[in-house]
Amino acid sequence: QKEVEQNSGPLSVPEGAIASLNCTYSDRGSQSFFWYRQYSGKSPELIMFIYSNGDKEEGRFTAQLNKASQYVSLLIRDSQPSDSATYLCAASSNNAGNMLTFGGGTRLMVKP
Amino acid sequence: DAGVIQSPRHEVTEMGQEVTLRCKPISGHNSLFWYRQTMMRGLELLIYFNNNVPIDDSGMPEDRFSAKMPNASFSTLKIQPSEPRDSAVYFCASSFGGTGANVLTFGAGSRLTVL
């Protein structure tokens, strides 16, 4: 069982809608959580990270963290076709030397 | 800054041949990571260095894989001998901060095909 789990998708949403991407993790020692976006044939690029329980908003993106439930999510408001990509959730833990463990990614498709 | 630079971008080789992938991290970054990405296994950490010292190589699949970082601006990942199951995209990433610092900047990747 992977330490960071994501639904592989594809998740399909219409343009302008809210896309909700979810991630669960198994290591309770995980302290920092990251969302990366990866376009097909490209490398992952950081969208945002979150350390504390609750919500963190950056532009159209909101990350949500619930450590009790071991759950992280990413909301994308006003989804655009250019948001179509694979979204990778990653967690780091002091137990693992703060190395990042990535989930398998969720493929998002935003339809015009 | 030019970002993390990897070479070659594409490599096609035959089984049994030696493959060397190269990486130049972002200047000033003190941690360097090698990842492998496949459809089946996703993004897997192979090894990471902090201040040029290998910290954790538990992800290196077997003795055929080796990695070096002779100085702060250069690292290599070598596969000898290569096998078809090594076909993947290999990413190098770097970051600044303490051991295993988190915010990674990835290179463009090296796509390896072993026939």
Side-chain angles (χ1 to χ4, degrees):
Chain A
Q1 182 181 2
K2 285 183 71 75
E3 296 178 9
V4 179
E5 297 274 1
Q6 296 180 256
N7 188 318
S8 62
L11 172 66
S12 182
V13 300
E15 183 176 356
I18 296 175
S20 178
L21 304 161
N22 305 315
C23 170
T24 58
Y25 60 95
S26 59
D27 183 357
R28 283 199 171 272
S30 297
Q31 297 184 332
S32 307
F33 304 88
F34 302 78
W35 284 100
Y36 282 80
R37 176 177 62 200
Q38 186 175 25
Y39 291 112
S40 180
K42 302 296 185 181
S43 58
E45 54 182 350
L46 180 71
I47 299 174
M48 64 188 301
F49 56 85
I50 185 167
Y51 298 150
S52 303
N53 274 329
D55 295 359
K56 179 181 179 182
E57 183 177 321
E58 291 187 1
R60 295 187 297 114
F61 299 96
T62 299
Q64 299 175 319
L65 174 60
N66 183 324
K67 290 187 177 180
S69 300
Q70 296 177 248
Y71 179 90
V72 191
S73 65
L74 180 71
L75 301 178
I76 307 175
R77 290 181 299 283
D78 188 22
S79 296
Q80 301 297 309
S82 59
D83 295 325
S84 298
T86 295
Y87 289 79
L88 300 166
C89 173
S92 71
S93 166
N94 288 339
N95 297 335
N98 287 325
M99 292 183 297
L100 282 190
T101 299
F102 283 85
T106 298
R107 184 179 165 210
L108 173 67
M109 298 173 60
V110 181
K111 297 186 174 182
Chain B
D1 196 320
V4 178
I5 300 173
Q6 292 186 245
S7 65
R9 291 293 311 280
H10 302 275
E11 175 90 6
V12 180
T13 190
E14 293 188 347
M15 182 174 63
Q17 297 299 305
E18 178 178 296
V19 174
T20 299
L21 308 178
R22 298 172 178 81
C23 176
K24 176 179 169 56
I26 290 173
S27 177
H29 281 190
N30 61 351
S31 293
L32 183 141
F33 305 78
W34 283 101
Y35 282 87
R36 177 173 68 177
Q37 188 174 41
T38 61
M39 288 294 293
M40 291 298 296
R41 301 177 67 88
L43 200 58
E44 301 174 285
L45 178 64
L46 300 177
I47 186 171
Y48 89 90
F49 296 85
N50 184 252
N51 293 325
N52 311 339
V53 176
I55 302 300
D56 190 323
D57 65 355
S58 59
M60 296 286 263
E62 48 197 274
D63 291 346
R64 297 185 298 106
F65 286 68
S66 62
K68 294 181 179 180
M69 191 166 186
N71 56 63
S73 60
F74 184 66
S75 177
T76 59
L77 178 68
K78 185 175 294 186
I79 308 172
Q80 167 65 18
S82 58
E83 296 182 2
R85 59 190 169 127
D86 301 331
S87 298
V89 180
Y90 290 81
F91 287 105
C92 176
S94 70
S95 69
F96 173 76
T99 302
N102 311 130
V103 180
L104 305 182
T105 301
F106 284 81
S110 294
R111 180 176 295 276
L112 173 64
T113 302
V114 183
L115 303 176

